[in-house]
Amino acid sequence: MIYPVLLVIHNALRWLVLGSLLASLGGSYVGWLRNRSYRPIDQTLRVIATSVAHTQLLVGFYLYAKSPIVSYYWKFSPDASEAPEFRFFSLIHIGLMFTSVVLVTVGSSKAKRQTLPQQKFKTTVIYFTLGLLLILIAIPWPFSPLATRPWLRSF
Ligand code: HEM
């Protein structure tokens, strides 16, 4: 079964999504504040963060199509909407995560097209911060009131 394997990957990839976004965001924030030039590493970090987010999106779409929780929700909603976790994965998680990846993608391609370093940094900071906030809300943290999942999952 590929589903449990992809669930493990989706879980672990969350840390890469967060790490790469934070790395790009940190560099852009410092670059913006210190008025420095836009270096190749800034571009690399921005592209890596965007690509990792896209990979997570693809894995997410597969999970969404195969998830027993999601299919139960669509089969039995609105009754199933009584269970908050079912509604969370079927509507909230996909909605917020999809929006966040769109924000990261739009921000990244806008920054790519801009010429002034200050513009590039500012665009990355604004779009990536918004994307990161949505991701932090939509992750099923072990302490989340919406749905809880482990910090890491093993095979
Ligand atoms: C940046 C984007 C995303 C992050 C950081 C993220 C993170 C996570 C995490 C940590 C889990 C828990 C995994 C586990 O049970 O061990 C999860 C589950 C899941 N995610 Fe995502 N996700 C993202 C995007 C998406 C998208 C876009 C979709 C749908 C298209 C999606 C669909 C799902 C589904 C269906 C589950 C599992 C539900 C189940 O237990 O059957 N995810 N996600």
Side-chain angles (χ1 to χ4, degrees):
M1 260 282 267
I2 192 169
Y3 183 84
V5 176
L6 283 178
L7 195 60
V8 170
I9 292 174
H10 194 67
N11 186 316
L13 212 53
R14 152 252 313 248
W15 296 109
L16 235 87
V17 170
L18 293 175
S20 59
L21 268 181
L22 280 174
S24 174
L25 204 46
S28 303
Y29 200 64
V30 172
W32 188 22
L33 289 183
R34 299 214 177 133
N35 225 339
R36 68 161 162 69
S37 63
Y38 201 83
R39 301 165 307 180
I41 183 73
D42 298 312
Q43 149 118 350
T44 306
L45 288 176
R46 206 192 70 233
V47 170
I48 290 177
T50 314
S51 311
V52 174
H54 287 168
T55 310
Q56 182 71 319
L57 184 73
L58 285 183
V59 178
F61 275 130
Y62 180 89
L63 291 180
Y64 195 87
K66 300 283 176 186
S67 168
I69 292 180
V70 173
S71 62
Y72 183 91
Y73 176 83
W74 288 117
K75 209 165 169 187
F76 297 110
S77 67
D79 291 6
S81 65
E82 298 301 324
E85 189 184 288
F86 287 49
R87 189 177 43 221
F88 173 78
F89 283 109
S90 307
L91 301 176
I92 300 173
H93 187 74
I94 184 177
L96 293 183
M97 291 308 195
F98 185 76
T99 310
S100 72
V101 179
V102 168
L103 282 169
V104 167
T105 309
V106 171
S108 182
S109 65
K110 262 187 140 191
K112 184 185 172 185
R113 279 183 271 107
Q114 288 169 328
T115 44
L116 293 176
Q118 289 315 294
Q119 280 183 327
K120 286 163 124 30
F121 286 134
K122 186 180 170 190
T123 304
T124 310
V125 165
I126 292 171
Y127 281 83
F128 280 25
T129 301
L130 288 174
L132 181 63
L133 280 178
L134 292 187
I135 290 172
L136 288 174
I137 294 170
I139 285 181
W141 298 107
F143 53 81
S144 170
L146 302 168
T148 57
R149 288 288 185 276
W151 296 106
L152 262 183
R153 198 179 271 279
S154 57
F155 291 105

